[in-house]
Amino acid sequence: MLNQSSNQKMSQKHELFPLKVENLALEVNGKKLINNLSFKLEANGITALMGPNGAGKSLTLRLLHNLIEKTSGTISWNNQTNQKLIQNAQAMVFQKPVLLRRSVIENLRYNLHVKKIPNKTEQANLIEEALTRAGLKGHANNPARLLSGGEQQKLAMARALMTKPSILFLDEPTASLDPNSTLVIEDLIKEANDQGTKIILITHDIGQAKRLAEEILFLTGGKVCEQGKTLDLINNPQTKQAKQYFSGEIVTENQK
Amino acid sequence: MTDISEAFANALHLIISADKDLVEIILLSLKVNLIAVFISCVIGLSIGALLAVYKFKGRTICLITLSALMGLPPVVVGLIVYIFLSNSGPLGILGLLYTPTAMIIAQAILITPIIAALTRQTLEVMHNEYYEQLKSLGVSKLAMAKTLLWDGRYQLITVVLAGFGRALAEVGAVMIVGGNINHLTRIMTTAIALETSKGNLSLALGLGIILIIMSFIVNGLVYAINLTAERQAYA
Ligand SMILES: Nc1ncnc2c1ncn2[C@@H]1O[C@H](COP(=O)(O)OP(=O)(O)OP(=O)(O)O)[C@@H](O)[C@H]1O
Ligand SMILES: [Mg+2]
């Protein structure tokens, strides 16, 4: 039974990639926030989405995850453009974790309920696994919203990973964490990726990008500015904006 | 002055001796209002939760209507229910006028918009916070509404208590459709109005004291629930 469902997940994974984004645009109140965005991502590894504040990274992630509607363009997951069909194979962790007003364990159980996993033994196993992963076994019955920021983020990660998504979107998951918690989250990210989850991660932390990502997609002004292997792009950026960003200078809008 | 202090003493005596008439009136009050609030909850919580989640065309009109209904003058509601239930009215054959059922209907009409509007307000704030996360998990809109109702339970209990408090204090509508008939449709507020006008201050005062005590209990509960919710970060 378990094997069968994980086989299904595996086949879904193959079906999702490559991800092709073509001329993606998002317009809000006549303002073009995402502009002719095009790129292609392969199945494996961790891709870091980088770029200055307001570049459109979070919006891009939300568009890919179908949280907001695009204005035009195409997003195709292995030629499949119906976002709803693949929603269940995706998960996302937000910069500020959103946890339900329930206990830690109920937050996890809720996700299983939504994903329609009624089998009690399977539920118990997945919850046990998630609690261990988050290091929150001792907090299982505590209100989730009383956890520290780092613990909340670990819980959000564990919740996102519990149904083994094919793709995990992370929007600055360690932005407000101390170095220690950051490392724990990074380990969770690497572990998930080792187990076959594709990860698209927004980060401003160049060190984190180097530690985790094989590839960087560098955005400015709602467009892809540069895409390349992590070290190539950081050490030898081709565009002026990327040069400035990775050398610690400030990239301003009028320097586009 | 002695009249009043005597009335007050008599009132206390009525309460302490659990006077039969007094108790009967209190029990009927509770029965009518609890049933009315229960009906209002079933309708109002559902409407409120759905309005918090679904963003459809004409939603603004619904919200404005709801706010307007919140401010309905009780006597007007009483009048309308009266017209419907009176012998010549469309529902006259049911013979409900001057019965507790008529009072329950009137009270429910008054309280439902209050519960619906406050529920919508409370849950919309929570919805803004939850929306992206729930959508990310793949939760349907209807399931979102249910989730909000559960996660907002502490705040919603205080909403319901507010509705109950309002119902307890209501007099205009129940007076018109109930008729304040002794042993049949006489509840606390209508009895106070009538007994005062008849000069029977003792019973009126006794009921008044009970009403104030109930109001304190309701507000105490609201406070205690809010405190518990905040302590557990469930607010
Ligand atoms: N709902 C919205 N309505 C109007 N403008 C918006 C909306 N959401 C985002 N924007 C604008 O779109 C631009 C891109 O926003 P986005 O959140 O994607 O930036 P970002 O790259 O994630 O930046 P940061 O690094 O600061 O998180 C910003 O200029 C922002 O002000
Ligand atoms: Mg962002």
Side-chain angles (χ1 to χ4, degrees), chain A residues 62 65-67 87-88 90-92 94 98-103 110-111 114-115 143 145-146 159, chain B residues 126 129-139 143-144 147 150-151 153 155 231-235:
Chain A
R62 281 171 167 77
H65 192 29
N66 199 30
L67 293 180
Q87 185 87 12
N88 263 345
Q90 305 187 340
M92 177 155 172
F94 298 84
V98 183
L99 298 170
L100 301 177
R101 289 160 172 76
R102 304 178 187 200
S103 65
Y110 181 84
N111 190 19
V114 172
K115 301 279 155 58
R145 293 158 80 97
L146 286 183
R159 176 177 62 185
Chain B
M126 203 176 279
E129 186 200 337
Y130 278 13
Y131 173 70
E132 284 204 324
Q133 180 64 65
L134 295 186
K135 185 158 190 218
S136 168
L137 293 175
V139 180
M144 276 186 202
T147 303
W150 178 251
D151 276 36
R153 60 199 178 278
Q155 279 156 293
R231 277 215 198 101
Q232 306 194 324
Y234 287 163

Side-chain angles (χ1 to χ4, degrees), chain A residues 4-22:
Chain A
Q4 194 192 344
S5 65
S6 54
N7 278 341
Q8 265 171 338
K9 291 267 158 56
M10 292 299 282
S11 60
Q12 270 175 355
K13 204 162 310 181
H14 285 295
E15 280 163 23
L16 281 184
F17 287 91
L19 160 65
K20 263 189 238 155
V21 173
E22 279 164 334

Side-chain angles (χ1 to χ4, degrees), chain A residues 26 28-29 31-34 50-62 68 95 171-172 202 204 219 222:
Chain A
L26 175 73
V28 178
N29 300 328
K31 244 185 93 185
K32 287 222 155 165
L33 300 177
I34 300 288
M50 301 188 80
N53 293 134
K57 304 178 297 294
S58 295
L59 289 177
T60 302
L61 220 57
R62 281 171 167 77
I68 46 179
Q95 176 173 343
D171 193 346
E172 303 189 40
I202 297 179
H204 286 292
L219 304 188

Side-chain angles (χ1 to χ4, degrees), chain A:
Chain A
M1 185 67 207
L2 266 171
N3 264 338
Q4 194 192 344
S5 65
S6 54
N7 278 341
Q8 265 171 338
K9 291 267 158 56
M10 292 299 282
S11 60
Q12 270 175 355
K13 204 162 310 181
H14 285 295
E15 280 163 23
L16 281 184
F17 287 91
L19 160 65
K20 263 189 238 155
V21 173
E22 279 164 334
N23 297 321
L24 186 65
L26 175 73
E27 216 178 287
V28 178
N29 300 328
K31 244 185 93 185
K32 287 222 155 165
L33 300 177
I34 300 288
N35 220 337
N36 287 325
L37 190 73
S38 302
F39 60 88
K40 189 176 164 191
L41 294 184
E42 297 298 338
N44 298 319
I46 301 176
T47 301
L49 213 53
M50 301 188 80
N53 293 134
K57 304 178 297 294
S58 295
L59 289 177
T60 302
L61 220 57
R62 281 171 167 77
L63 284 166
L64 293 181
H65 192 29
N66 199 30
L67 293 180
I68 46 179
E69 295 276 337
K70 60 182 191 261
T71 308
S72 62
T74 52
I75 300 172
S76 75
W77 303 89
N78 191 24
N79 297 325
Q80 172 66 261
T81 53
N82 188 343
Q83 289 267 20
K84 285 202 180 104
L85 290 181
I86 49 153
Q87 185 87 12
N88 263 345
Q90 305 187 340
M92 177 155 172
V93 173
F94 298 84
Q95 176 173 343
K96 200 178 161 297
V98 183
L99 298 170
L100 301 177
R101 289 160 172 76
R102 304 178 187 200
S103 65
V104 168
I105 197 165
E106 285 305 325
N107 266 275
L108 296 170
R109 207 189 309 278
Y110 181 84
N111 190 19
L112 296 183
H113 188 71
V114 172
K115 301 279 155 58
K116 303 206 163 50
I117 300 177
N119 185 310
K120 284 272 187 282
T121 6
E122 195 180 349
Q123 272 197 14
N125 289 339
L126 289 172
I127 287 174
E128 175 78 14
E129 193 182 296
L131 284 174
T132 312
R133 186 178 272 142
L136 289 174
K137 271 189 165 179
H139 295 275
N141 292 309
N142 294 2
R145 293 158 80 97
L146 286 183
L147 298 174
S148 77
E151 288 164 342
Q152 290 197 19
Q153 196 61 296
K154 282 175 224 165
L155 176 58
M157 280 289 290
R159 176 177 62 185
L161 289 173
M162 72 195 299
T163 49
K164 307 196 171 47
S166 302
I167 175 157
L168 176 63
F169 299 106
L170 301 169
D171 193 346
E172 303 189 40
T174 60
S176 52
L177 302 188
D178 71 20
N180 217 2
S181 300
T182 300
L183 283 184
V184 175
I185 297 283
E186 287 184 2
D187 283 342
L188 289 177
I189 295 173
K190 277 188 271 190
E191 187 189 314
N193 186 240
D194 287 342
Q195 290 173 3
T197 298
K198 167 76 184 180
I199 286 165
I200 303 183
L201 157 86
I202 297 179
T203 180
H204 286 292
D205 180 345
I206 296 172
Q208 182 168 65
K210 282 185 185 165
R211 286 192 294 276
L212 295 178
E214 279 96 64
E215 181 189 38
I216 293 177
L217 198 61
F218 185 78
L219 304 188
T220 49
K223 282 188 173 135
V224 176
C225 180
E226 225 179 307
Q227 180 175 8
K229 293 263 167 270
T230 304
L231 290 178
D232 293 350
L233 208 152
I234 291 174
N235 295 331
N236 189 18
Q238 299 301 306
T239 58
K240 194 173 152 200
Q241 291 97 321
K243 269 184 195 134
Q244 284 172 324
Y245 183 89
F246 290 109
S247 66
E249 283 177 53
I250 293 160
V251 184
T252 59
E253 280 299 302
N254 49 22
Q255 281 174 296
K256 269 199 268 196

